[in-house]
Amino acid sequence: MSAVVQAVGLLKTKEAVDLGGDYLDVLGAPDSSRSQRGWAGAVSRLVLGFFGPSAGARRRTVLEMARVREGDQVIDVGCGAGECTRHLARAAGEGLTIGLDASEEVVATAAANGGRENLAYLRGDACALPFEDETFDVACSVGAIEAAEEPMAAIGEMVRVLAPGGRLVIAASRARGDELTAALRERGLCEVERRVTRRGQVLAAQKPAEEVDDGR
């Protein structure tokens, strides 16, 4: 089963899905404001140094903190052209990885760049993720959360689709360090970790595992 077909199976509503070439589209007609937000995310990633000579070190920090395991289902929110998404997919092995961005141009570029058989791209809204609750084992946003129309809504959506025991990782500028850390804790995440890099920060947290009913 292809990654695109698997991704369709995870969607809350399948009627509005359009297979635009090599990627899925749940937003319908192109919207210039959404496209600009997608490119704004790319600009944010550039400013923070997620491209260029030191990009590898930051990407390794994200992957280390995400703790992706073989077979995990992973979502990369604001994936851009898929620079980090492809590495997440490699770490997940046979587990499905989905890169999501609001920009039609960006998603098309990511899909055209290709990748692993377990990787699918989707044009969607970070503030209204089109997936059921508790779908993913790992949720990432690398250099894009601050470009979202409502960053805190996007974080809430990432927490919603995260399975119990799952990991959330956000790479962002240093400007909102305390605010982002507080947002993760306010949404019930635990084991919050923050690493400051030369140009930004990477935060990771875990969704509490479900309590086991021992019958007592």
Side-chain angles (χ1 to χ4, degrees):
M1 184 185 299
S2 72
V4 170
V5 172
Q6 292 181 62
V8 171
L10 300 180
L11 296 173
K12 289 192 293 186
T13 303
K14 301 174 179 59
E15 290 78 5
V17 178
D18 175 41
L19 179 56
D22 297 325
Y23 62 91
L24 300 171
D25 191 337
V26 299
L27 293 182
D31 181 305
S32 60
S33 64
R34 292 185 188 277
S35 178
Q36 289 166 6
R37 288 201 297 275
W39 285 115
V43 172
S44 175
R45 286 186 287 272
L46 179 62
V47 170
L48 292 172
F50 288 103
F51 303 140
S54 59
R58 275 176 287 274
R59 184 169 56 241
R60 286 191 292 273
T61 298
V62 169
L63 292 169
E64 178 184 344
M65 296 177 75
R67 302 178 192 171
V68 178
R69 300 167 298 182
E70 169 71 35
D72 277 351
Q73 289 196 157
V74 182
I75 184 167
D76 184 13
V77 177
C79 65
E83 296 85 6
C84 190
T85 322
R86 291 187 287 274
H87 291 271
L88 291 166
R90 183 177 296 114
E94 295 185 0
L96 177 64
T97 297
I98 295 176
L100 178 145
D101 203 290
S103 168
E104 184 179 26
E105 297 91 340
V106 165
V107 174
T109 298
N113 287 338
R116 299 176 61 89
E117 293 181 355
N118 66 327
L119 175 58
Y121 289 99
L122 183 150
R123 180 173 172 252
D125 188 347
C127 299
L129 296 177
F131 301 101
E132 300 286 355
D133 296 356
E134 303 181 356
T135 296
F136 297 95
D137 302 295
V138 177
C140 290
S141 180
V142 180
I145 198 72
E146 291 162 302
E149 186 174 21
E150 299 177 56
M152 295 305 152
I155 291 174
E157 281 291 276
M158 293 172 69
V159 173
R160 178 184 66 78
V161 301
L162 196 62
R167 299 278 295 175
L168 186 151
V169 178
I170 296 173
S173 71
R174 298 186 196 180
R176 306 176 76 165
D178 293 338
E179 183 181 2
L180 292 175
T181 299
L184 299 181
R185 292 197 171 108
E186 288 168 1
R187 286 157 179 78
L189 300 187
C190 59
E191 300 181 27
V192 178
E193 179 184 1
R194 179 177 180 240
R195 298 187 192 178
V196 176
T197 65
R198 187 165 61 90
R199 294 189 181 184
Q201 62 177 330
V202 182
L203 299 102
Q206 188 149 337
K207 194 170 189 177
E210 293 179 327
E211 295 184 6
V212 177
D213 185 356
D214 59 8
R216 289 185 292 179

